[in-house]
Amino acid sequence: MTRGMRPEQIWGLGLSDEAAAAISAGLGSGYALRNWPAGRHPGERDLSRSTPLVIFVSKDAWDALPSSSRKRLEEWDVAQRVLLASGDQSVSDFDEMLDDGFLSAISEPLTDKKVRDVIFRAQEVKSLYDDIFRMTREIMLERELLARKTDLVLFLNRFLTRATESLDPTVILDHAREDLEMLLPMRGLMGILWQKGESGELEAELFLEPEMDHAAERHWTEALLRQGAKLAGRSMQSYQTTFLDGAAGRAAVDIPRSPEDSIILPLRAGGQTFGSLILYRDKGQPLGKDQVQTLYAAVSHLALALKNAALFNQVKIRADHDGLTRIHNRRAFDERLVDELRRHQRYGHAMSLLMLDIDHFKNINDRFGHLMGDHVLREVGRIVSETLRSTDFTARYGGEEFVVILPMTTEEQSRILAERLRRAIAETQFVSEGRPFGITVSIGASTLTPGALLKRRDLVDKADKALYQAKKLGRNQVCTALGPVSRSEDDGLGAASAG
């Protein structure tokens, strides 16, 4: 036996002194026999801490074992049991015992050859069992790895499918959050996307989890803006915040206690970085290598989906907005008017339409030039958008004409809003080469009362006729079906604003 190696354990159960001596002699060096004499047997402590190769069991000792101890040894798969027959017993009498899990049976007198044959056979069986166990473990491990890979492939397939189902960044991120929660322990997802504005400065949109308190919202807002500035190489000039959808029973996102609680994932597409995600993960939950690889693959495809959504929105904005004034164009107005008419017919709310025209606009171009004329158009578009309510829809109708859809607005309210708008434009001062000048507008208003079934063209025609009437009356006027609006009606602006 090599120095320092522990001898192989062999057990005996109910062996006589002569049998124990014969087995020890047959074993030789490298083995150590431990015998429990008649009336004693291994306890739970022995069974839990030892790994003997063979247990030599006498027939009498086996019969005398309590049933619970015998069952425990039968179920113990660490050692192999060998039945020992005394001189007056025949090995052939123990076939039934061999069926009960004994490796073999030998009879006295014991010789070195008998003992070594038992040990050799036991070692062969142990080696076979070890090989089978190792192969089984490898097969189970491979099956587990294959199952994990299959699950990850299914996850990626679902993730990519849902990421391309929408061109709305909010919907895309909502789906991504739901899917990523199946991959890793996560408490929330936040993101920032940015693009260049008209002046070249960076404009950002932040996506935050709902149900945050003020402190948490401020923390994540600053974290996203800081991360965006780091990746973009400069600060965001402006930003707006969008909240993702909530989920029933979802805990509100708080402030992380350590940097390790967050996973920062830049969003890149086409060689450019245009955003970043922050995953707020559960503390003390390490990620496996395959999870990390799948996460990065998923985010890479998510970045492409978000980039496509951003490009689509840019194209849509250009298609729906007037290039000069940056407000909605005629096509967007026609689509929105159809939607509002359907809503009017469904819910029975009143709705109104304003049509306004800049008075003597040709004279402005002739006197101050077309560049100043363009500036006036942009300013009128801005004033109309900022003066009216957030629920109103403003568009450039063509040339120097603008239209405003006023949902849930009565004719009386439209008169007050139109007068407010007329006055705001009349009070605006313009300067050309040091010379100040002002402009005025004429406004026509039409209204659909609850239950009315007028067509879209009818509503526009009524507003156009009212506009013509305002110009006929001397311009810088507001006219509705009720006639011209008195300047004193401006007193009701506050009530109309709240309406």
Side-chain angles (χ1 to χ4, degrees), residues 79-200:
Q80 300 171 67
R81 288 173 286 120
V82 175
L83 194 62
L84 180 60
S86 60
D88 58 348
Q89 296 171 326
S90 172
V91 170
S92 60
D93 295 336
F94 303 120
D95 290 342
E96 187 174 332
M97 301 290 290
L98 298 179
D99 292 337
D100 291 336
F102 282 85
L103 174 66
S104 62
I106 57 176
S107 59
E108 295 181 309
L110 297 176
T111 63
D112 291 351
K113 184 178 183 306
K114 288 181 179 181
V115 173
R116 290 171 184 168
D117 285 345
V118 167
I119 297 300
F120 178 76
R121 185 176 178 184
Q123 288 174 332
E124 283 190 325
V125 172
K126 183 177 183 301
S127 178
L128 178 61
Y129 282 173
D130 288 345
D131 289 342
I132 293 174
F133 178 77
R134 184 178 63 256
M135 291 173 60
T136 302
R137 184 173 57 185
E138 291 175 354
I139 291 172
M140 294 299 293
L141 180 59
E142 289 179 359
R143 287 184 61 183
E144 181 180 348
L145 292 175
L146 181 60
R148 286 177 63 89
K149 289 180 179 179
T150 301
D151 289 342
L152 293 177
V153 169
L154 292 175
F155 163 80
L156 278 177
N157 182 61
R158 169 188 166 90
F159 188 91
L160 300 182
T161 299
R162 280 161 56 89
T164 55
E165 286 178 345
S166 174
L167 287 170
D168 184 340
T170 305
V171 175
I172 294 173
L173 289 174
D174 275 329
H175 288 170
R177 179 184 60 182
E178 293 174 3
D179 294 338
L180 288 173
E181 286 175 342
M182 298 188 300
L183 177 68
L184 63 149
M186 194 173 71
R187 301 174 63 182
L189 177 148
M190 274 69 65
I192 177 173
L193 305 177
W194 60 80
Q195 60 184 2
K196 288 184 179 180
E198 293 181 18
S199 61

Side-chain angles (χ1 to χ4, degrees), residues 334-371:
D334 289 339
E335 292 179 355
R336 181 63 173 265
L337 184 58
V338 171
D339 293 338
E340 291 298 337
L341 284 172
R342 288 173 180 167
R343 190 174 291 111
H344 159 78
Q345 293 170 0
R346 180 176 181 182
Y347 297 105
H349 299 307
M351 67 171 289
S352 297
L353 177 69
L354 302 184
M355 182 173 287
L356 62 102
D357 183 88
I358 301 175
D359 297 327
H360 304 296
F361 182 70
K362 183 177 181 301
N363 293 342
I364 297 174
N365 282 333
D366 293 342
R367 182 179 179 186
F368 301 108
H370 288 281
L371 289 179

Side-chain angles (χ1 to χ4, degrees), residues 251-319:
V253 172
D254 56 6
I255 299 175
R257 297 181 180 273
S258 65
E260 291 76 19
D261 294 343
S262 301
I263 301 175
I264 298 175
L265 301 166
L267 297 172
R268 299 185 178 93
Q272 294 183 337
T273 302
F274 66 95
S276 178
L277 295 182
I278 298 181
L279 305 186
Y280 184 21
R281 57 192 293 266
D282 281 337
K283 189 173 183 180
Q285 297 287 341
L287 300 181
K289 182 179 179 181
D290 52 351
Q291 287 179 305
V292 173
Q293 292 173 341
T294 303
L295 175 61
Y296 279 105
V299 171
S300 176
H301 290 283
L302 179 65
L304 184 59
L306 289 170
K307 186 64 174 179
N308 289 338
L311 292 174
F312 172 79
N313 287 336
Q314 288 178 3
V315 172
K316 190 174 186 303
I317 289 173
R318 284 197 292 267

Side-chain angles (χ1 to χ4, degrees), residues 9 11 34 36 41-52 76:
Q9 295 184 57
W11 283 5
R34 180 184 180 188
W36 278 265
H41 53 81
E44 286 296 330
R45 181 184 179 88
D46 300 308
L47 297 178
S48 63
R49 295 191 174 187
S50 302
T51 56
W76 197 40

